[in-house]
Amino acid sequence: MPVETDCHTPLLPKQDESVPNALLVDNHTTVNGKVDIVLDIAPEDDSENEIEDSNGTQVEDSSSFDEDAEIDEDKREINASVGSVTPIQTDELRGLYSFLGVQPPLGPPPTIDPFRNHTEVMDSVYEWIKAIVCFPLVIVRLLLIIIITGGGILIAKLLLLGWDEKVVPMPKWRRKIVYITRILARLVLFCCGYHWIRRVGKPVKREVAPVVVSNHISFIDPIFFFFELFPSFVSSAAHSELPGIGMIIKPMQVINVERSSAESKKYALKEIKNRAMSNEFPHVMVFPEGTTTNGKALIFFQLGAFMPGLPVQPVVLRYPYVHFDNSWGRTSILKLVWRMLSQLHNFMEVEYLPVIYPTSREKDHPALFAKKVKRVMAKALNVPSTSHSYSDLILSTKLKEPKNDDFASYMVEMAKMEKLFHITTRESAVLLEKFQALDTNCSGRLTESQFLDALDLPKTTISQQIFGFFNKEDEGSISFREFLAGSAFILKHPSFGMMCKVSFEFCDFRKQGFLSRVEIERSLRLVFPELTSTQVQKFEKKLDVDGDGIINWDDFRDFLHKYPELLALFLPSSSG
């Protein structure tokens, strides 16, 4: 979990026992070669799927929001922030896993894929003809961009001569020289086909709103704001290491943050507060979504921009299109740039919304402030608000040939999952790999027969109860979202470690401190007398990884971490 205080306490307390190495993969993932301008600090629960706003119209006045309509929800969030935990009620659940209590409800499954580029495939004769005819234009534009970028690098190097990077803020006379690079940024936009940009409203002075937030659709976004506002971006540390680009953005004194480093996030949050409160710095610019989307939804907002408790000016970006969607989700950057440069003209709209001021309550609970800002932006864009996050994008890149490129069925709204179950992206990626191994026909859903066959379980009342535990939507098959939630609920349950130990001791009827294959077969046949010898051998092989005929505690624990759905099979209650 992030270092900063989360304004929402998950329904399940954190589990002390760490997940074994088998469940860990690299969490620092770069998608399609991009590293987003992002501050990934503290999560908040933003699970509303409908666009709701206040009865009033003035955003500047926080009283314009209908406090009575949201008072119950806000109270729950505030209570959660001081450690209130929803009690688990066991009388509402019947079945094999009733001893775990009630699984937190997930709500309706998401039906939108916010990372899908809608024109990724050139499926018309017109597009192919345009690509061929405009080939010379692409080359000319590309050469101009390279020349302009080279000029920007040269100017930045001259500007930085004799300047100690540790001295902040940069002297104003140096910043005035940087204005030349802002002009170069506009020339780059012109070369990319953004000949004119429609603006609605205007940016306010940083004394009025020191923090600016915007939705994030394309790599064009930061180039535009570089020209328009020349702010201090909150940016991935990897940007500063890019050849050329790193030199150009240095004069902006960006706030670098490393996704995987808690110390880096803590430093970034401190810098946001310091710069937002000092008039010596320009605006602080944050893309709270933390990654690019297709603009058809507003996904989970990180809280970094809202932690200082200062006024915020939201900005919404739109890229109207007919033939070319320039959103950068799962699309290759090379393909995106080529398609963009082959467009005679690209459209861009920028709308500056009125400043939003936090109430005293929202200053204490930034999640409420973030939710209010997000609601205003969603209403301006006329799009839904979801709990998807950058983690959903990472998971989608790990899919193996989804049927008909159906990524939406694998969208689980990871921000919600992380809040409810403390499940990480790394652990979720392992469960996704397991789900795809079970999903033999790549349909995106597991039937009962697929589920039982993959786990080598006979079709009995007990095995059907195991399947039913995951089949919350009662559709006769299990989606990845259901599979992830069910597995995480068991794995992250506070009693999971203790139940593993109880199961081990129950199976160890000889009390030798380890399990023989005879003891494993005895325990399995207490639950499934119908098991064949082949099925028993498969279970034994999964448990006895080194093949020495002995299953020690570590082997048994790792097995249940890998197959949490089988925990109940080894508990005394399941064996009668």
Side-chain angles (χ1 to χ4, degrees), residues 222-236:
I223 299 176
F224 168 78
F225 285 115
F226 179 93
F227 160 72
E228 184 87 345
L229 301 176
F230 197 68
S232 287
F233 281 107
V234 179
S235 172
S236 168

Side-chain angles (χ1 to χ4, degrees), residues 32-47:
N32 290 331
K34 73 176 177 181
V35 188
D36 296 285
I37 294 178
V38 59
L39 180 62
D40 182 9
I41 289 185
E44 57 102 354
D45 178 27
D46 194 358
S47 58

